[in-house]
Each structure stands twice: as C-alpha cells, then as structure tokens.
C-alpha cells in the first residue's frame, strides 16, 4: 500500500480478529450479517499479507461481536473451546506473527473458569477477549466475580470488545448498523459499570484494554466525576459509602486506538491517559485493508504524537503487556 508511510519500526496489533470455521458457521446459523454488518472473508494467509503491507509484525487475534453465546450454554462452551484451540494452532504455526486472546463461554461460571485454566495452562494464550455484555449480563455484574477472580489469579490481560446492547430503542436510526453507534455506547456503559461496581479495585492484577480509544468515556467522565462529589446519594448506597475516582480509574486502563480516533477523540483521551497506556489496533478484517491503511496514515501524520510516542503506541507498550513477544523482535 503506497499511501502507508514507511517507518523504521513495526507495529503490534492488539485489535485484530480471526474467523475460524466453527465460529463462521455459527454466525451463519444466526444471521448472514450479524449486527447489521457483513461478516468479512478471512484466512491466515491473507491476514499475513495485510500485516506485511501495513508494517505489522504481530497481530493479537480475538473473536469480534457477536462473540460465541447465542443462548445455548453447551454450544457456547463447545464453540469457545474449538475457537481457542484453532487460534492456538495458528499461534503455533506462526509464533512470531500471531498471538491469541481466548474467548470464554460467559456468563456461565464453571465453564468459563475451566476454559481460563485450559487456555492458560494448556494453550498458553496471551490473554482473553471479553464482550461488553453477554446475553444482557454486563461486565461489572457481581455474578461474574468468580470468573474475574480466576483471571486475576493468572494476572491476565483482558481486552474488551463491544457487543450489541442488551436492548435497543425502537423506531430510531433503524438503518444504522449496530457497530456505528451502539458499540461506543456499550463500551462506555460497561466500563463505567465496572468502575462503579468496584471491579477494577477488586481485581487489581488484571490489565484491562478498552477498544476504540475509549469510546465516549472521556466525555462522560466530565459528567459523572463531579456528580459523584456533589450528589453521591444519587448513585446508591454502595457508591455513597466509598470514594470513586473516575479519572484515576480511567488512567489505570489501557486503550487501543483502532477506528477513527482523529482528530478529536485521541486528543481528549490523551488529556486523561498517559501515552504508555495506548496501543495500536487495526480492527482487520472488519475494517478492510484500505481502511486500515488510511487510519494508519492518519496516526503516522498527526501532530498530536511525536516519533517516540508513536513508537510506544505502535510497539513498546504492547511488549509490556505481552512479554512473550520480546523474543520475537
């Protein structure tokens, strides 16, 4: 791709997707276009070619929405295992090029804990990818605490991915695909829920990565933070009894900068979050190659970043989260 500026370093892509056969078949069983957005074609060889074009050394693979739970508990468990094993096989074939974020059969507790142990101890995955909600149960719900305890025990990297909200209002923006707007709402809703419910404090060994430059979080923080100080009673007894630092919580998280985060969103995020908590993401193949190239060029050229900061976002910061990749330099 001629319009991608050649850099003297490569990128680690923490927001990239794979579509193993079992997952693709499951998607076709529910809809040709889940979320109102077409399911892209994908194979590892084409992905590797795109990585070479975009200057990506390693892609950390995960499943995208609608993830794996379509209402059948056993089917979700089986699909998680199959998708994780297929992803691990890809990493085994291309250890220098691919990493894997395993999927879990949320919200089932026993099956998810079993899959965490299998994914870490047997498959040696790099982390986990969790949807913002599964069957209407959002991250931060205390019913998931045992799962987070296990993720915390393994000191896991947990990358969030937006899912279709548990309910949508009727007769408004019907023609707009869910990812265009609702994904940002669901990411924002989930992270605020995790902060208010104390998830980040209760499980401090987990490193959470938030997609799409934090969605609407930086804007909403300026609304919620002063309200917590002025009218804490409006947030309920649990919130009123303890201090919650919205800005501190947001600063502790990591963020990928996939999608269209320029010219305004990245600038807002950098007012709260240090550059060492920002990571590169392409969102390939749901963002096609020409879109990835356009977005990469925007990041290459923005005056918001100097070359040292770009290098940190593209490569160094990811090495801190995924130290296995240091051996691949």
């Amino acid at each position: 791709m001629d319009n991608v500026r050649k850099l003297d370093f490569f990128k680690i892509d923490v927001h990239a997707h794979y579509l193993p056969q079992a997952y693709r078949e499951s998607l076709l069983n529910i809809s040709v276009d889940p979320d109102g957005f077409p399911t892209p074609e994908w194979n590892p060889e084409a992905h590797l070619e795109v990585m070479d074009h975009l200057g990506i050394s390693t892609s950390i693979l995960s499943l995208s929405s609608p993830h794996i739970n379509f209402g059948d508990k056993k089917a979700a468990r089986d699909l998680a295992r199959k998708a994780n094993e297929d992803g691990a096989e890809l990493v085994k074939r291309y250890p220098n090029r691919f990493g894997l974020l395993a999927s879990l059969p949320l919200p089932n507790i026993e099956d998810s804990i079993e899959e965490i142990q299998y994914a870490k101890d047997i498959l040696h995955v790099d982390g986990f990818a969790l949807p913002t909600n599964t069957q209407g149960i959002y991250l931060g719900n205390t019913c998931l605490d045992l799962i987070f305890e296990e993720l915390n025990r393994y000191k896991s990297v947990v990358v969030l991915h937006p899912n279709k909200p548990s309910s949508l209002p009727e007769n408004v923006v019907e023609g707009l695909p869910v990812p265009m707007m609702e994904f940002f709402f669901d990411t924002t809703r989930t992270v605020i829920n995790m902060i208010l419910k104390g998830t980040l404090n209760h499980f401090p060994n987990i490193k959470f990565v938030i997609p799409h430059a934090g969605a609407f979080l930086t804007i909403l923080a300026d609304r919620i933070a002063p309200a917590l100080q002025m009218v804490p009673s409006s947030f309920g007894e649990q919130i009123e009894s303890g201090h919650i630092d919205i800005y501190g919580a947001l600063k502790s998280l990591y963020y990928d900068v996939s999608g269209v985060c320029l010219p305004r969103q990245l600038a807002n995020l950098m007012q709260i979050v240090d550059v060492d908590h920002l990571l590169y993401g392409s969102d390939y193949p749901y963002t096609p190659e020409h879109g990835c190239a356009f977005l990469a060029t925007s990041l290459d050229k923005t005056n918001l970043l100097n070359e040292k900061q770009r290098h940190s976002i593209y490569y160094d910061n990811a090495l801190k989260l995924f130290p296995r990749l240091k051996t691949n330099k």
Side-chain angles (χ1 to χ4, degrees):
M1 301 294 292
D2 294 337
N3 59 336
V4 178
R5 183 163 61 87
K6 298 298 184 182
L7 302 173
D8 60 356
F9 51 85
F10 290 99
K11 305 179 183 77
I12 296 174
D13 185 355
V14 304
H15 190 142
H17 299 299
Y18 73 123
L19 289 98
Q21 186 62 31
Y23 180 60
R24 179 180 290 278
E25 290 174 356
S26 296
L27 294 181
L28 292 176
N29 285 336
I30 61 168
S31 173
V32 175
D33 297 325
D35 300 329
F37 197 83
T39 298
E41 295 295 325
W42 181 88
N43 65 70
E45 292 74 25
H47 197 141
L48 289 167
E49 288 185 12
V50 171
M51 289 167 61
D52 290 340
H53 296 162
L54 298 175
I56 295 170
S57 60
T58 307
S59 288
I60 311 295
L61 302 175
S62 62
L63 297 184
S64 184
S65 66
H67 213 64
I68 60 170
N69 190 331
F70 309 117
D72 184 314
K73 175 182 172 180
K74 181 181 183 302
R77 181 190 66 199
D78 293 345
L79 183 54
R81 178 60 57 90
K82 179 59 176 170
N84 292 338
E85 289 181 338
D86 287 353
E89 181 61 30
L90 275 175
V91 176
K92 185 177 180 180
R93 285 168 54 195
Y94 304 102
N96 296 332
R97 306 306 307 275
F98 289 135
L100 179 63
L101 302 171
S103 296
L104 300 179
L106 299 174
N108 185 267
I109 304 300
E110 292 181 0
D111 290 345
S112 293
I113 291 175
E114 180 180 342
E115 195 61 28
I116 291 169
Q117 296 168 350
Y118 183 79
K120 290 298 291 185
D121 297 338
I122 304 301
L123 300 182
H124 306 295
V125 302
D126 297 287
F128 297 87
L130 303 187
T132 49
N133 86 85
T134 303
Q135 298 293 306
I137 295 179
Y138 279 81
L139 304 183
N141 190 316
T142 56
C143 75
L144 302 176
D145 279 0
L146 290 177
I147 296 172
F148 279 101
E149 284 181 11
E150 194 69 2
L151 292 168
N152 191 69
R153 184 172 74 85
Y154 279 99
K155 300 181 179 179
S156 303
V157 176
V158 172
V159 178
L160 272 57
H161 194 279
N163 222 351
K164 181 179 180 179
S166 58
S167 63
L168 292 172
E170 296 182 358
N171 304 317
V172 59
V173 294
E174 300 97 327
L176 193 65
V178 168
M180 294 298 102
M181 185 169 68
E182 299 300 338
F183 273 14
F184 268 38
F185 287 135
D186 221 55
T187 295
T188 304
R189 180 181 296 113
T190 297
V191 175
I192 293 297
N193 193 49
M194 293 170 67
I195 293 173
L196 296 182
K197 296 292 180 60
T199 304
L200 305 187
N201 292 333
H202 295 157
F203 308 106
N205 293 331
I206 300 175
K207 293 182 173 63
F208 290 99
V209 180
I210 313 304
H212 303 128
F216 300 131
L217 284 166
T218 56
I219 297 172
L220 192 63
D222 288 341
R223 181 174 175 84
I224 292 183
L228 279 167
Q229 302 301 316
M230 294 184 289
V231 284
S233 60
S234 66
F235 289 83
E237 293 181 3
Q238 179 182 356
I239 307 304
E240 188 176 6
S241 63
H243 174 69
I244 293 179
D245 179 2
I246 291 289
Y247 294 114
L250 294 179
K251 189 172 183 176
S252 72
L253 300 169
Y254 292 79
Y255 302 81
D256 75 48
V257 294
S258 62
V260 184
C261 64
L262 292 168
R264 282 166 285 276
Q265 193 182 358
L266 180 59
N268 289 340
L269 185 62
M270 289 175 64
Q271 293 181 45
I272 297 176
V273 178
D274 294 334
V275 170
D276 63 2
H277 275 223
L278 304 182
L279 306 156
Y280 174 73
S282 72
D283 208 359
Y284 180 81
Y286 288 85
T287 298
E289 181 179 355
H290 64 85
C292 294
F294 171 80
L295 296 171
T297 299
S298 298
L299 285 170
D300 290 344
K301 293 182 177 180
T302 178
N303 293 328
L304 286 173
L305 303 170
N306 59 40
E307 288 304 290
K308 182 178 179 180
Q309 291 172 322
R310 251 183 284 270
H311 194 285
S312 295
I313 293 171
Y314 287 160
Y315 197 83
D316 291 340
N317 298 341
L319 287 182
K320 298 173 186 176
L321 290 183
F322 305 107
R324 174 184 72 82
L325 302 182
K326 292 181 180 179
T327 62
N328 299 337
K329 290 186 69 174

